[in-house]
Amino acid sequence: RREIEGGERDKEMAGALDRERMALSQVSMLREENSTLNSRVQALDAEISRLKTRLEHSSSQLELASERERNAEEQLDKALSLHARQLGVRQKREAELEQTVADLGAALVVAKGKVEAAM
């Protein structure tokens, strides 16, 4: 009976050793997987940091471009306003010049008439 009990105990011990070896193997595989995942997380964190920096740079460039665009629009509006004023002044001067030419033409006709009447 002791031999039977001893044999069973040896089988239990062998089974326990097998289970322990399998558990240790699984722990080793899980540690390796954990290490791999940690490396991947670190790589992704670095990528996120790089992308954040890139986004900040792009946002800054966008703000600068928008500011330049607003400035250009303001300058164009000022130039358009100045051009409109200058065009108005030119048209007024042309009208005055046309009136002066007409007045001179009329005065010439009158003067010519007086000269012809005096002859």
Side-chain angles (χ1 to χ4, degrees), residues 12 15-16 18 26-28 30-31 60 68 77 103 106 112-113:
E12 286 177 17
D18 286 342
Q26 286 179 337
V27 165
S28 176
L30 290 173
R31 283 184 179 158
S60 176
R68 277 186 253 141
D77 287 345
D103 291 345
K112 186 177 179 182

Side-chain angles (χ1 to χ4, degrees), residues 5 9 19 21 29 51 54 64 67 96 114:
E5 286 177 7
R9 192 169 141 228
R19 286 191 300 274
R21 282 189 199 111
M29 287 185 341
L51 290 173
R54 190 170 163 195
L64 288 174
E67 182 65 27
E96 290 172 352
K114 285 182 182 180

Side-chain angles (χ1 to χ4, degrees), residues 36-100:
T36 300
L37 291 174
N38 282 336
S39 294
R40 183 69 179 139
V41 166
Q42 287 176 348
L44 290 172
D45 283 343
E47 180 72 7
I48 287 169
S49 178
R50 187 184 67 77
L51 290 173
K52 281 182 180 178
T53 301
R54 190 170 163 195
L55 176 61
E56 289 170 1
H57 179 71
S58 294
S59 295
S60 176
Q61 293 290 52
L62 175 62
E63 287 176 21
L64 288 174
S66 295
E67 182 65 27
R68 277 186 253 141
E69 180 182 11
R70 281 190 296 276
N71 289 340
E73 286 176 357
E74 287 175 7
Q75 289 176 353
L76 286 173
D77 287 345
K78 288 176 184 176
L80 181 61
S81 179
L82 176 63
H83 177 69
R85 283 194 309 273
Q86 289 173 338
L87 187 59
V89 168
R90 178 180 171 196
Q91 288 173 344
K92 182 181 175 189
R93 286 182 183 166
E94 284 178 354
E96 290 172 352
L97 183 59
E98 287 175 2
Q99 184 61 46
T100 301

